[in-house]
Amino acid sequence: MGGHSDLKLLVNGKRLDGRTQFDLRPIRVEVGVLHDADGSAFVEWGKNKVICGIYGPRECIPRHGADPYKAVLKCRYMMAPFSSLEEHGRSGPNRRSTELSKVIREVFENLIIVENYPRTQIDIFVDVLQSDGGTRTTCVTAAAAALANAGIPMRDMASAVAVGKADDTLVVDLAKEEDNFGQCDMPVAFSYRKKDILLLQMDGLLTRQEIETLLNEAEKASEKVYVKQADALKKVYDSKEEKFKM
Amino acid sequence: MNNNRKIVLPGERISDKKLYLPNTFVEGEETFAAVIGMLDEEGKYIPLESRYKPLQEDTLVGIVTDVRHAGYSVDINLSSPAFISSKDFRVELNLGDIVSCKVGQVYEVGDVDFAEVKKLPPGKVIHYPPAKVPRLIGRKSSMINLIREHAGGDIIVGNNGYVWISETSNIPLALKTINIIIQKAHMSGLTDEIAQFLKNQTGESKISAQTGE
């Protein structure tokens, strides 16, 4: 956002990567990719690659941070130094990654039944291996699948998608160029069953009418994302071949 | 997988009545799954992934993680270690020892008191998914007895997901078998399949031993 370029983001209704207005990039979800983590997921969303590991509920460190009534959720979002062309992830946590860690944590604070595990902490680690716009939505999608894979009790599943406006056209699932040179980027996370909005951020300007249209489109898109998560989670129990992981 | 069984994800409705089962939650008049699980025709819900939740009378396998004057800390796959008081049990333990214990009392916050503590001889402890423990034991211990018989040594399955395999048994064979059970825990007719597998495995090892001579 805020960048300026002569690049045409939409030509004859086709976007830079050939998608139409409300198309999603191809998504691939895989769960149980890490051996030692309690739950894990790998998500490829267009050119984004995100890996997520879940640990816990385990002993809360530091001890004084523990809550006697519920589990404490901790989330760490990090971009690998090699994840993009820009100066990301080179020098530890920065303002941006701290913000993303917070918004991802808050998505799951609304879903996980934290009262079941007093005095413990649950760790969510999301690492961006490759980024191409929309990493926070990819991370929410990966973390939800990994938490389900870990067997951590949740009231609902979460799936996220970014919507926005580029070249005066409303679009779903913004890629890097649309995010950088477009007019608005609005990542949204929905819970599947209740359709609660768990995350909503907006960078840029939209009219009230546009927001309504985009939220509708985002809800439809998030259901498509949910199908991918569900398929990945169920696939673990369908495979006939034996995997020796121990 | 069995066709009449359906995999349910967290947040999926499993009943329109209030059920109050483990790994579920009730909202309004309906019950929902909280973890990924299996729902059969009769509406019975079996969780496929879950954390260990201590219950009275459970048999556990634990590892001593701390030795103090007052007693021992044992790792029993909970978020915090349990404590064996030397006042209550006359067992002499060292760091890293493996114990099998019976749960006496479980407090509201999840702390555990033991009713029985026994030191186990040296062996291997593996981490097994707690939700799949019933499959490893089998009906009337049929599955675990089968493995014991073929591996030729003692195996103790803790409800907490720690499995102890004695040093005297065929550990690679036991591990291989347990891995198959982890992979196929949600399938029916598993005991027969494992029996066949063990028969083939032990048969093969006998043949290779003969040809080796």
Side-chain angles (χ1 to χ4, degrees):
Chain A
M1 203 64 44
H4 291 284
S5 160
D6 295 332
L7 192 67
K8 272 256 169 279
L9 297 172
L10 268 117
V11 180
N12 299 331
K14 287 263 172 131
R15 297 207 248 161
L16 289 173
D17 45 8
R19 285 184 287 159
T20 55
Q21 206 181 354
F22 296 139
D23 276 353
L24 286 169
R25 286 173 280 184
I27 303 166
R28 186 169 75 91
V29 185
E30 214 170 300
V31 297
V33 291
L34 301 176
H35 176 261
D36 281 343
D38 293 316
S40 57
F42 176 71
V43 176
E44 232 177 303
W45 186 317
K47 282 184 225 159
N48 289 308
K49 284 187 178 139
V50 165
I51 195 159
C52 175
I54 306 292
Y55 285 86
R58 60 182 177 183
E59 194 179 356
C60 197
I61 294 168
R63 288 289 275 274
H64 65 77
D67 190 320
Y69 298 105
K70 58 184 172 60
V72 179
L73 212 59
K74 291 184 180 176
C75 177
R76 199 222 48 189
Y77 165 97
M78 199 174 77
M79 275 183 126
F82 49 81
S83 63
S84 71
L85 294 172
E86 286 149 49
E87 300 280 320
H88 274 314
R90 293 252 175 101
S91 54
N94 52 21
R95 191 205 62 77
R96 183 178 172 279
S97 71
T98 312
E99 174 204 320
L100 265 74
S101 301
K102 177 192 172 278
V103 295
I104 295 167
R105 191 190 73 228
E106 285 176 354
V107 166
F108 295 103
E109 273 176 349
N110 289 300
L111 296 182
I112 297 175
I113 309 176
V114 280
E115 305 86 62
N116 282 7
Y117 301 102
R119 299 185 312 186
T120 61
Q121 75 175 24
I122 299 167
D123 286 305
I124 302 170
F125 297 107
V126 272
D127 278 45
V128 179
L129 305 181
Q130 188 169 290
S131 75
D132 184 48
T135 55
R136 75 191 71 195
T137 53
T138 312
C139 286
V140 167
T141 305
L147 282 162
N149 178 241
I152 289 173
M154 290 197 285
R155 288 181 206 280
D156 217 330
M157 278 291 280
S159 24
V161 69
V163 288
K165 193 162 129 186
D167 275 3
D168 296 318
T169 312
L170 300 182
V171 287
V172 168
D173 187 20
L174 288 85
K176 193 186 175 89
E177 291 79 14
E178 291 159 338
D179 185 345
N180 290 163
F181 309 124
Q183 290 145 306
C184 184
D185 172 32
M186 183 167 78
V188 198
F190 282 98
S191 66
Y192 177 70
R193 176 170 58 98
K194 293 187 124 188
K195 304 290 176 221
D196 288 336
I197 294 175
L198 302 165
L199 179 153
L200 181 71
Q201 293 181 293
M202 189 166 81
D203 186 7
L205 294 170
L206 289 174
T207 65
R208 190 177 286 235
Q209 187 57 48
E210 282 169 339
I211 291 182
E212 269 171 33
T213 318
L214 283 176
L215 282 177
N216 276 330
E217 286 302 326
E219 197 178 308
K220 278 186 228 158
S222 78
E223 272 169 30
K224 288 181 198 158
V225 178
Y226 174 82
V227 171
K228 300 276 179 186
Q229 290 170 307
D231 285 350
L233 286 162
K234 288 173 183 172
K235 205 180 80 187
V236 176
Y237 303 100
D238 278 342
S239 63
K240 293 275 193 288
E241 85 259 38
E242 290 140 33
K243 284 183 276 181
F244 290 101
K245 275 168 94 186
M246 204 170 286
Chain B
M1 202 183 66
N2 220 326
N3 286 328
N4 46 25
R5 284 170 169 179
K6 175 179 146 216
I7 305 248
V8 287
L9 296 181
E12 265 185 66
R13 197 180 69 190
I14 54 169
S15 172
D16 45 13
K17 292 187 202 78
K18 293 180 180 181
L19 287 178
Y20 301 105
L21 293 165
N23 296 308
T24 64
F25 64 95
V26 171
E27 227 173 77
E29 293 295 315
E30 296 169 322
T31 308
F32 299 89
V35 301
I36 189 163
M38 221 159 41
L39 194 66
D40 64 15
E41 287 174 316
E42 294 113 50
K44 195 175 170 239
Y45 169 71
I46 307 151
L48 287 169
E49 307 277 350
S50 79
R51 304 286 302 182
Y52 171 60
K53 200 165 183 280
L55 287 171
Q56 213 165 4
E57 300 281 294
D58 272 359
T59 309
L60 307 181
V61 171
I63 302 158
V64 178
T65 54
D66 195 11
V67 179
R68 272 174 287 169
H69 187 67
Y72 310 93
S73 291
V74 257
D75 169 20
I76 52 164
N77 206 9
L78 288 176
S79 56
S80 54
F83 192 68
I84 300 173
S85 160
S86 3
K87 221 163 75 187
D88 302 336
F89 301 100
R90 286 172 182 275
V91 279
E92 190 114 335
L93 299 170
N94 288 311
L95 201 64
D97 275 355
I98 307 157
V99 289
S100 97
C101 24
K102 197 153 250 179
V103 177
Q105 216 171 348
V106 184
Y107 298 99
E108 207 179 337
V109 289
D111 283 346
V112 170
D113 253 5
F114 294 121
E116 209 180 292
V117 175
K118 211 170 73 190
K119 187 182 161 176
L120 292 175
K124 189 177 171 60
V125 175
I126 59 160
H127 295 200
Y128 181 86
K132 296 169 185 174
V133 164
R135 276 334 283 278
L136 180 54
I137 294 170
R139 193 166 289 157
K140 289 181 186 161
S141 313
S142 59
M143 183 77 88
I144 196 66
N145 282 337
L146 199 68
I147 304 173
R148 276 184 191 134
E149 200 181 297
H150 283 84
D154 203 6
I155 298 170
I156 293 177
V157 184
N159 290 84
N160 58 343
Y162 286 1
V163 179
W164 171 81
I165 307 165
S166 85
E167 220 175 36
T168 53
S169 54
N170 183 348
I171 293 177
L173 178 68
L175 286 182
K176 228 172 171 180
T177 319
I178 290 168
N179 260 317
I180 296 173
I181 298 170
I182 294 174
Q183 293 290 322
K184 301 190 172 178
H186 54 287
M187 296 180 189
S188 51
L190 191 60
T191 314
D192 295 338
E193 199 184 321
I194 293 296
Q196 190 58 44
F197 169 78
L198 285 167
K199 217 170 143 189
N200 290 344
Q201 287 287 315
T202 41
E204 270 169 34
S205 65
K206 265 175 203 160
I207 292 163
S208 60
Q210 277 166 6
T211 48
E213 276 170 11

